[in-house]
Amino acid sequence: MPQIIADNLTADGYRVLVASDRAKAMALLTTAHPDLILVDVNGQTLGLLDAVRSGEGVAGRVNPDTPLIVLSRDADR
């Protein structure tokens, strides 16, 4: 997630947890119960999205009603 988005959400009073890669995101999901998941699409996060959608492993703990917003600067993705 671009730092500017995290900074703006924090300034608006939201608690933001940032993971720089899929492994760190999966580790956060072992303890955090997010109200929203926001990801910047790249090769690693595509695997995270698949894991959340399929309910695979730790990602299966995410409430299926949790909004998942995917960002990309690449219009083709």
Side-chain angles (χ1 to χ4, degrees):
M1 169 179 10
Q3 189 61 44
I4 191 166
I5 294 173
D7 291 344
N8 281 321
L9 289 170
T10 300
D12 287 339
Y14 294 96
R15 185 172 142 238
V16 177
L17 302 174
V18 177
S20 58
D21 58 39
R22 180 179 184 228
K24 290 178 184 169
M26 295 299 278
L28 278 175
L29 290 175
T30 64
T31 58
H33 303 284
D35 294 323
L36 170 71
I37 299 173
L38 180 66
V39 296
D40 182 12
V41 172
N42 63 41
Q44 291 184 20
T45 55
L46 289 175
L48 173 63
L49 295 176
D50 290 340
V52 169
R53 287 185 192 135
S54 70
E56 170 187 315
V58 173
R61 296 182 191 165
V62 174
N63 182 329
D65 293 329
T66 301
L68 180 65
I69 298 175
V70 180
L71 302 175
S72 175
R73 68 177 180 192
D74 183 0
D76 292 337
R77 290 187 185 198

